Amino acid sequence: MDVALARPVTQLPTGPSWAYEIKVDGHRTVLWRTEDGVRLQSRTGRDVTALWMDLAVAAICRPA
């Protein structure tokens, strides 16, 4: 699955299938649960799990 990239709009879409997040400065990373644990992916698709191991370990410790 590709990570969705943010884009500026003048009006937000409406409807039950839309979700929003506020863009703040920093890293945009998605955490995926896998059969082997978790994987963190940057918005460009790069695996950044090793760079954010503290987040990966915290996510592994959380119930699914």
Side-chain angles (χ1 to χ4, degrees):
M1 175 181 289
D2 291 333
V3 177
L5 299 178
R7 63 185 174 99
V9 295
T10 57
Q11 186 174 8
L12 295 175
T14 59
S17 62
W18 286 96
Y20 305 99
E21 65 183 48
I22 305 244
K23 171 65 175 96
V24 294
D25 289 339
H27 298 274
R28 184 168 297 217
T29 304
V30 176
L31 185 140
W32 305 97
R33 285 191 175 267
T34 66
E35 290 181 9
D36 300 327
V38 297
R39 180 172 154 264
L40 286 106
Q41 176 184 329
S42 73
R43 70 178 186 91
T44 60
R46 189 170 57 107
D47 186 332
V48 293
T49 307
L51 297 172
W52 298 100
M53 191 54 69
D54 55 336
L55 294 175
V57 169
I60 289 169
C61 294
R62 301 279 306 174

